[in-house]
Amino acid sequence: MSQSLALSVDFSQGFTDAWSAVAQFIPKFIAFLAILIIGWLIAKLIARVVDRLLRRVGTERLAERSGIANTLRGSKYDATGIVTKIIYYGLLLIVLQLAFGAFGPNPISHLITAVVAWLPRAIVALVIVVVAMAIARAVRDIIQAALGGLSYGKVLATVAWAFIVALGVIAALGQAGIATAITGPLLAAVLGTVAGILIVGVGGGLIGPMRQRWEGWLTRAEQESTGARDRISAYQQGRADAQAGQPAPGARTAGGRTTGGRRTDPGAEGRENIDPM
């Protein structure tokens, strides 16, 4: 009898503890669902407002200038849509952090807290990449417009574009805290290598070959620059003559032929000077 009484007491205590745990969990779960649903609706509303605001500000024009719009031609989202999605999911992470906080301290809340704390750095890194690509494209267009007629203009524009983009990516990775142990030494190694080549190679043992190459490059550049300057001068002279109403040298006119700025009568050729007397 005493053993059966002890077992009944233990079972009753277990059921009591279980019901107590369930009673404590249900309000927390309801609060979790309420925070999740309300936060999801608010995040969706904020995402729509941000999308409209960014499009009015001119984010798509910035994407066109930076070249990102061309990259996303075949994608489902444009640049503004991607930024809006990032903001939307960031807000959802904040909502999840608040919702899981209803259960008290737990590992999931700590993980989401760390991700939410990293989001501002990720957004700044994304802005750095976009701005760097916009600057790189502008520099490339300027160099191509200025040196488009030269053989090395396109190569120089591409090198400048790649250098600026690489600096922007390295700065973005450093801002986001991604691979900082690699990007920092890599940048230092690249700059050190370039400096070493310039100091030792150009100023040291490769003076003779580099001198010949530089002379050839400079001679070719001077010839191309002279040709480009002559073409520009001829274009300006022809435009000035057209504005003044004068035909260009060597141009044909009605009723005669112009050569060297003088008009000649086509019937005058081969005509003898006959005295009427």
Side-chain angles (χ1 to χ4, degrees):
M1 293 293 293
S2 62
Q3 292 180 357
S4 62
L5 181 60
L7 290 174
S8 64
V9 171
D10 292 338
F11 275 115
S12 64
Q13 184 65 35
F15 281 120
T16 301
D17 294 340
W19 280 112
S20 177
V22 171
Q24 293 177 3
F25 175 77
I26 289 178
K28 295 179 181 179
F29 184 70
I30 294 174
F32 170 80
L33 291 179
I35 295 174
L36 193 62
I37 294 173
I38 295 174
W40 172 67
L41 294 175
I42 294 175
K44 199 170 183 179
L45 178 61
I46 293 176
R48 290 182 179 178
V49 173
V50 170
D51 184 79
R52 294 180 180 177
L53 182 61
L54 290 178
R55 294 185 186 280
R56 289 185 179 180
V57 169
T59 310
E60 287 304 312
R61 291 195 298 269
L62 180 60
E64 290 286 346
R65 293 177 182 177
S66 62
I68 297 178
N70 295 328
T71 307
L72 299 175
R73 294 264 182 216
S75 177
K76 183 179 178 181
Y77 301 102
D78 53 6
T80 306
I82 292 176
V83 174
T84 304
K85 285 294 181 181
I86 292 174
I87 296 175
Y88 171 70
Y89 288 117
L91 293 174
L92 283 184
L93 284 176
I94 297 175
V95 171
L96 284 174
Q97 179 188 8
L98 296 174
F100 279 104
F103 297 105
N106 57 83
I108 299 179
S109 296
H110 296 320
L111 178 61
I112 296 176
T113 300
V115 175
V116 170
W118 177 77
L119 281 179
R121 303 178 64 180
I123 294 174
V124 174
L126 182 63
V127 172
I128 290 175
V129 171
V130 173
V131 172
M133 292 188 67
I135 295 174
R137 187 172 184 180
V139 171
R140 183 182 63 183
D141 293 342
I142 291 174
I143 294 177
Q144 286 182 350
L147 304 177
L150 307 180
S151 60
Y152 54 85
K154 187 175 181 180
V155 176
L156 185 61
T158 304
V159 170
W161 176 86
F163 182 73
I164 295 174
V165 170
L167 289 180
V169 170
I170 292 175
L173 291 176
Q175 173 64 31
I178 301 175
T180 54
I182 299 176
T183 55
L186 179 62
L187 179 60
V190 171
L191 295 178
T193 302
V194 173
I197 292 174
L198 291 176
I199 294 173
V200 178
V202 180
L206 297 178
I207 291 180
M210 287 302 299
R211 179 183 299 168
Q212 296 176 0
R213 289 182 179 274
W214 275 112
E215 288 178 354
W217 290 339
L218 292 176
T219 301
R220 187 175 180 180
E222 184 178 359
Q223 293 175 355
E224 292 179 350
S225 300
T226 303
R229 186 168 57 251
D230 293 340
R231 289 193 296 270
I232 294 174
S233 299
Y235 170 76
Q236 293 177 349
Q237 182 64 35
R239 186 175 180 181
D241 292 340
Q243 292 178 352
Q246 299 177 358
R252 292 182 176 274
T253 58
R257 184 177 59 189
T258 303
T259 304
R262 296 179 303 169
R263 180 174 178 178
T264 59
D265 187 1
E269 295 181 3
R271 189 186 337 182
E272 296 180 356
N273 191 7
I274 300 177
D275 192 357
M277 297 298 296

